[in-house]
């Protein structure tokens, strides 16, 4: 999409017919292409299992709790839901075992779009299991805001050949259009023996997930971890290799799935080995362990509990729950053996023992018989919340001493993986390995005593059902529906502001421009400007940006400027959620006109028979400028980016070219902060023809591109026409890594 920004009254072509044709073409192109929809990064978000890559299970936004009320229950979505709903902005996303993915309105639960991930597998076609009536999407999907896509692993069925395949599917968040389809079955595996139960995660442009067996642990299978590129490249695998007499197993099946730290290290827990009846396993082979992998699936380290041999021979999987990252560089891991472990990330490469361990859970039928923790844990404000089959438990975490101590034991039927939102611990009731929970508890985080007990409109199906939370709501899968409870009055996040180039710049006036995203809060805006970045004057926006969740163009006209002077300006947006400042931009007012410009000025007031020639001269002198060629650009390994430009024949084109992200993106190392990032900038000077300008990506831009591999960017060309008016031309480009 190529956008020309300037004064439309001066952009006159050679004839009225040509102008009309060009206008119609431009309008049709704009309507057909449509805007590139990007989610506002400041909006409510629960984009992966238990909120974040570290699996904290803590919603940071619901700071003003209210008495819970049933907000809505969706229509029946056609098949049971075994995963957590995901939330981004004003939409909720749910996936069913019928291989359907839904986008719902977060305020009402109404279906916005529905898409299929393929034909689901009939339950009777797999070797064993408890997912019924079909096996489709079971593990919780993941949302990548940088690609505006949701990713899910679907178990698919070919009715003609009876073939089963696991396929990683990608769906555009806005439209639901399919953007990715990659087969992800490990080489040599029998897909009917595998279940993709763990939640998905993201690292360095790859989707990370695990495979285990079906309930009943039948058939010949081996656990695996998969890293599948979001750009459709071939996946990488870590595969469990059993040590005889074991012949399989090592399942990666904990509901919470892999956890990922800030350096891109992946932590995943495994289950017990399978071996012939009457024999015993004695050789360590990475079963019943916590593993550390990189994004290429290279094994970096491991932790095995001191009871590994006994656990492995008695079906006490460490991997019945996934790991959780804690402050201080430690991991918490619990499993079937009823123990909880604190593991130092930095010592896993040496296979070091836990820095602390203690009994956490207690079996319901018989203590010590593999009825410990199932699913995933939560952490908030110094407390670890552990799902146990005898009821959720809270542990006080001492980061300095690297220990934990019991704090409380919740209701006996509060067995689901907990989360924290609105000052409460939310847990779904249930019976061991049967699902069917009918209550949602809101527990006091200090005592574990229920403050609220909500009766669900329909029971849950998932054995390890866990709610999600964002936007002041707690949401959970209730059978084949999604149910939402309003539990907090959410203060809107701060708006975001992106200052843009000024337009209509004369010797004494200019129009200042920006885009503001209110992020759901009623917002106001203004422009600060002056001859330095200290800004001595303020101009209110001509119109307020409102209270939506998308970027809104705003502007302000300023007068009384001094000719031949450089001015600094920036946009400022405010709401109840806070104040945001846009980046500093500059404009330079032109000097007084003379020479040819006097001739043009004369023509504008004295239309002679030869005026048409002067009008054409005015068009060429004033608005002719450079434009970007092509639709994509590539960054070298050193961050160099070459942009191809063209300039009209017999014209001299000089100005600046700037590459920015289309919208606000998370700032690396600055938790919770987002901004439109300037990726690179430079100048150009050419006379008639084409030329390549080389720009250098900033360090932040290189880190961002290394993570996403592909970015949609806005290239802005700025130059001054012969009247000194600053003009801009914007082009949307795809920026990718060389060889990526």
């Amino acid at each position: 999409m190529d956008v020309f920004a300037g004064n439309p009254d001066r952009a006159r072509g050679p004839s009225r017919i040509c102008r009309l044709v060009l206008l119609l073409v431009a309008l049709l192109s704009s309507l057909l292409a449509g805007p590139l929809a990007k989610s506002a990064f400041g909006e409510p978000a629960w984009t992966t299992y238990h909120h974040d890559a570290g699996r904290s299970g803590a919603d940071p936004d619901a700071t003003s709790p209210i008495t819970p009320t049933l907000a809505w229950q969706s229509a029946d979505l056609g098949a049971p839901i075994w995963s957590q709903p995901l939330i981004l902005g004003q939409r909720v996303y749910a996936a069913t075992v019928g291989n359907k993915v839904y986008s719902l309105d977060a305020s009402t639960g109404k279906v916005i779009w529905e898409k299929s991930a393929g034909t689901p597998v009939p339950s009777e076609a797999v070797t064993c299991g408890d997912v019924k009536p079909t096996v489709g999407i079971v593990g919780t999907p993941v949302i990548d805001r940088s690609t505006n896509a949701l990713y899910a692993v679907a178990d698919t069925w070919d009715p003609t050949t009876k073939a089963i395949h696991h396929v990683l599917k990608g769906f555009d968040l806005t439209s639901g259009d399919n953007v990715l389809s990659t087969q992800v079955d490990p080489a040599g595996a029998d897909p009917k023996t595998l279940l993709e139960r763990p939640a998905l995660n993201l690292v360095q442009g790859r989707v990370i997930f695990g495979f285990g067996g079906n309930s009943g642990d039948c058939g010949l299978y081996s656990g695996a971890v998969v890293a599948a590129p979001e750009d459709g490249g071939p996946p990488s695998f870590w595969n469990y290799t059993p040590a005889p007499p074991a012949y399989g197993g090592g399942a990666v099946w904990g509901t919470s799935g892999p956890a990922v730290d800030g350096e891109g290290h992946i932590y995943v827990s495994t289950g017990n080995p399978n071996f012939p009846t009457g024999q015993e396993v004695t050789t360590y082979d990475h079963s019943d362990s916590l593993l550390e992998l990189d994004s290429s699936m290279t094994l970096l380290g491991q932790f095995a509990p001191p009871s590994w041999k006994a656990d492995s021979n008695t079906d006490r999987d460490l991997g019945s729950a996934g790991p959780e990252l804690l402050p201080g560089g430690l991991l918490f891991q619990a499993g079937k053996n009823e123990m909880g472990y604190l593991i130092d990330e930095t010592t896993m490469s040496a296979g070091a023992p836990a820095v602390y361990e203690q009994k956490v859970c207690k079996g319901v039928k018989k203590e010590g018989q593999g009825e410990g923790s199932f699913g995933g844990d939560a952490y908030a404000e110094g407390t670890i919340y552990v799902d146990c089959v005898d009821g959720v438990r809270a542990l006080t975490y001492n980061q300095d001493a690297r220990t934990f101590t019991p704090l409380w034991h919740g209701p006996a039927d509060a067995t689901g993986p907990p989360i924290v939102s609105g000052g409460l611990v939310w847990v779904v009731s249930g019976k061991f390995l049967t699902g069917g929970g009918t209550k949602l508890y809101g527990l006091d985080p200090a005592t574990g005593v229920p403050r609220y007990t909500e009766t669900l409109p329909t029971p849950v199906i998932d054995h390890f059902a866990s709610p999600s939370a964002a936007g002041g709501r707690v949401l959970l899968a209730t059978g084949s529906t999604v149910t939402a409870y309003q539990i907090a009055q959410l203060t809107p996040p701060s708006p975001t502001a992106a200052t843009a180039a000024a337009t209509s710049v004369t010797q004494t006036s200019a129009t200042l421009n920006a885009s503001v995203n209110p992020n759901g809060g009623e917002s106001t805006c203004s422009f600060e400007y002056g001859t330095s970045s200290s800004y001595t004057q303020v101009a209110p926006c001509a119109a307020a940006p409102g209270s939506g969740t998308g970027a809104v163009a705003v502007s302000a006209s300023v007068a009384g400027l001094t000719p031949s002077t450089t001015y600094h300006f920036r946009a400022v947006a405010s709401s109840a959620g806070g104040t945001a400042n846009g980046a500093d931009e500059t404009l330079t007012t032109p000097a007084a006109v003379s020479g040819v410009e006097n001739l043009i000025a004369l023509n504008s007031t004295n239309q002679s028979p030869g005026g048409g020639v002067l009008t054409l001269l005015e068009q060429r002198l004033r608005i002719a400028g450079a434009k970007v060629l092509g639709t994509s650009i590539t960054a070298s390994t050193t961050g160099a980016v070459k942009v191809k430009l063209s300039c009209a024949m017999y014209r001299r084109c000089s100005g600046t070219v700037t590459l920015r992200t289309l919208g606000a993106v998370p700032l690396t190392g600055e938790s919770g902060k987002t901004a439109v990032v300037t990726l690179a900038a430079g100048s150009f000077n050419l006379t008639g023809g084409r030329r390549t300008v080389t720009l250098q990506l900033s360090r932040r831009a290189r880190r961002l591109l290394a993570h996403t591999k592909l970015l949609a960017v806005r290239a802005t060309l700025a130059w001054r026409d012969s009247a000194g008016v600053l003009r801009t031309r914007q082009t949307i480009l795809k920026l990718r890594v060389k060889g990526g």
Side-chain angles (χ1 to χ4, degrees), residues 543-674:
S547 59
T549 57
V552 178
V554 295
S555 64
S557 297
V558 295
L561 306 181
T562 302
S564 299
T565 303
T566 297
Y567 286 87
H568 293 255
F569 65 96
R570 69 178 180 185
V572 179
S574 299
S575 72
T579 298
N581 297 323
D584 179 77
E585 294 282 350
T586 60
L587 67 89
T588 302
T589 54
V593 298
S594 61
V596 176
E597 300 305 325
N598 287 330
L599 178 63
I600 296 174
L602 175 65
N603 178 61
S604 65
T605 57
N606 182 19
Q607 295 294 325
S608 66
V613 175
L614 288 177
T615 300
L616 178 58
L617 173 62
E618 178 183 1
Q619 160 71 11
R620 289 179 174 173
L621 283 173
R622 286 189 172 170
I623 70 169
K627 66 182 297 184
V628 175
L629 299 177
T631 59
S632 65
I633 51 179
T634 302
S636 72
T637 55
T638 62
V641 179
K642 293 185 177 181
V643 182
K644 294 181 180 179
L645 305 178
S646 71
C647 180
M649 190 174 295
Y650 308 119
R651 294 295 301 152
R652 181 182 180 85
C653 300
S654 62
T656 60
V657 55
T658 306
L659 304 181
R660 295 184 178 92
T661 57
L662 279 182
V665 297
L667 299 180
T668 304
E670 300 182 42
S671 177
K673 292 185 179 181
T674 63

Side-chain angles (χ1 to χ4, degrees), residues 136-509:
I137 299 171
V138 183
T140 298
V142 66
I143 288 173
D144 189 340
R145 292 186 285 188
S146 70
T147 61
N148 200 48
L150 175 146
Y151 301 98
V153 174
D155 206 352
T156 63
W157 170 254
D158 186 326
T160 303
T161 64
K162 313 299 184 186
I164 297 173
H165 290 290
H166 292 88
V167 182
L168 176 63
K169 306 290 287 190
F171 299 90
D172 181 85
L173 295 177
T174 307
S175 64
D177 291 344
N178 183 258
V179 296
L180 178 67
S181 186
T182 304
Q183 286 196 16
V184 291
D185 289 305
D190 183 354
K192 71 174 179 291
T193 68
L194 295 176
L195 181 67
E196 200 294 298
R197 185 69 176 95
L200 281 61
N201 212 330
L202 297 171
V203 62
Q204 299 171 358
R206 296 171 174 85
V207 183
I208 310 298
F209 52 92
F211 281 117
N214 296 291
S215 179
D217 221 19
C218 57
L220 182 61
Y221 76 91
S222 291
V225 186
V226 187
E230 295 176 63
D231 63 7
S236 302
F237 297 88
W238 175 86
N239 295 288
Y240 165 63
T241 302
Y247 54 79
V252 180
W253 67 280
T255 310
S256 62
V260 178
D261 69 14
E263 296 181 352
H265 293 194
I266 301 160
Y267 302 92
V268 62
S269 52
T270 59
N272 63 277
N274 294 338
F275 52 93
T277 302
Q279 297 193 40
E280 181 182 72
V281 294
T282 58
T283 303
Y284 178 70
D285 58 4
H286 299 108
S287 57
D288 273 327
S289 299
L290 176 64
L291 306 180
E292 178 183 11
L293 306 166
D294 65 16
S295 60
S296 64
M297 295 291 96
T298 301
L299 182 65
L300 302 178
Q302 67 280 326
F303 160 78
S307 55
W308 177 85
K309 181 180 176 182
D311 293 344
S312 297
N313 282 285
T314 55
D315 191 23
R316 290 183 290 186
D317 299 36
L318 187 67
S320 59
E324 178 179 29
L325 298 179
L326 298 175
L330 298 185
L331 290 149
F332 177 81
Q333 176 70 55
K336 285 186 183 181
N337 69 0
E338 304 176 4
M339 298 292 291
Y341 301 95
L342 293 180
I343 301 139
D344 190 329
E345 298 177 32
T346 63
T347 64
M348 289 186 66
S349 60
V355 299
Y356 185 77
E357 62 182 75
Q358 182 177 308
K359 187 178 178 66
V360 172
C361 302
K362 183 178 179 180
V364 175
K365 297 178 182 178
K366 186 177 180 181
E367 191 172 357
Q369 295 300 307
E371 296 179 1
S373 179
F374 292 78
D377 313 307
Y379 173 83
E381 299 181 355
T383 303
I384 306 168
Y385 301 96
V386 186
D387 61 317
C388 294
V389 298
D390 61 327
V392 63
R393 294 176 183 262
L395 310 172
T396 300
Y397 172 53
N398 187 324
Q399 180 177 334
D400 293 332
R402 308 177 96 187
T403 62
F404 57 79
T405 53
L407 179 61
W408 50 255
H409 182 197
D413 65 340
T415 59
I419 68 166
V420 181
S421 180
L424 296 176
V425 181
W426 297 93
V427 187
V428 179
S429 69
K431 295 181 180 180
F432 180 52
L433 294 182
T434 61
T438 59
K439 291 182 288 186
L440 174 64
Y441 285 110
L443 306 179
D444 187 306
T447 65
V449 174
R451 286 193 196 168
Y452 303 104
T453 303
E454 302 296 323
T455 301
L456 302 177
T458 51
V460 301
I461 294 292
D462 185 4
H463 298 174
F464 317 118
S466 185
S468 309
R473 304 180 187 92
V474 166
L475 303 99
L476 70 160
T478 45
S480 298
T481 66
V482 176
T483 297
Y485 290 90
Q486 191 75 38
I487 60 102
Q489 199 67 43
L490 189 66
T491 300
S494 170
T496 57
T499 315
T503 55
S504 302
V505 180
T506 70
Q507 289 87 350
T508 59
S509 64

Side-chain angles (χ1 to χ4, degrees), residues 656-660 678-683 693-698 716:
T656 60
V657 55
T658 306
L659 304 181
R660 295 184 178 92
T678 298
L679 305 172
S683 60
V693 176
T694 301
L695 307 178
Q696 181 64 39
L697 292 179
S698 66
T716 301

Side-chain angles (χ1 to χ4, degrees), residues 23-78:
L23 179 61
L24 286 172
V25 171
L27 287 173
L28 285 172
S29 299
S30 176
L31 289 171
L32 290 172
L36 294 177
K38 288 290 182 182
S39 301
F41 280 33
E43 54 199 355
W46 188 283
T47 58
T48 186
Y49 186 94
H50 276 200
H51 182 267
D52 48 66
R55 308 310 194 196
S56 75
D59 168 27
D61 298 326
T63 55
S64 302
I66 60 174
T67 301
T69 57
L70 178 64
W72 48 262
Q73 183 181 21
S74 74
D76 191 303
L77 301 183

